[in-house]
Amino acid sequence: MTRLNQISLGAAARIVSFDNNNNELQKKLLAMGLIPGSLLEVIRFAPLGDPMVLKVRGSSLSLRKAEADSIFVELV
């Protein structure tokens, strides 16, 4: 298991869980469709590396690396 902000461009992963330190961020991520068990793919990084763009459940989603640090994933 690794954190989302540590996976590379083009990698596919499944969301396992969230870091429990920030309930507000967890609610925001769930509302954005980042639900445990969902598959995602890293499709782009901004020129300076932050934010990252993900493809999740048919939609593109942009996340800051600080937000991605609170998501645990497993590579598929």
Side-chain angles (χ1 to χ4, degrees), residues 37-57:
S38 296
L39 294 174
L40 60 86
E41 179 184 358
V42 179
I43 57 173
R44 187 180 322 156
F45 288 100
L48 297 177
D50 194 25
M52 61 193 314
V53 180
L54 310 171
K55 183 151 210 136
V56 181
R57 301 171 56 172

Side-chain angles (χ1 to χ4, degrees), residues 32-76:
M32 294 168 70
L34 295 170
I35 299 167
S38 296
L39 294 174
L40 60 86
E41 179 184 358
V42 179
I43 57 173
R44 187 180 322 156
F45 288 100
L48 297 177
D50 194 25
M52 61 193 314
V53 180
L54 310 171
K55 183 151 210 136
V56 181
R57 301 171 56 172
S59 297
S60 294
L61 186 66
S62 180
L63 274 185
R64 294 184 187 124
K65 284 198 170 189
E67 296 168 332
D69 186 52
S70 68
I71 304 171
F72 292 100
V73 297
E74 61 184 6
L75 297 175
V76 293

Side-chain angles (χ1 to χ4, degrees), residues 2-47:
T2 187
R3 293 181 184 264
L4 178 57
N5 68 342
Q6 297 174 341
I7 66 174
S8 60
L9 181 65
R14 181 180 320 276
I15 299 171
V16 175
S17 64
F18 299 106
D19 192 349
N20 291 329
N21 292 334
N22 190 338
N23 287 335
E24 289 301 316
L25 177 58
Q26 185 174 352
K27 288 178 188 177
K28 175 184 172 185
L29 296 172
L30 288 168
M32 294 168 70
L34 295 170
I35 299 167
S38 296
L39 294 174
L40 60 86
E41 179 184 358
V42 179
I43 57 173
R44 187 180 322 156
F45 288 100

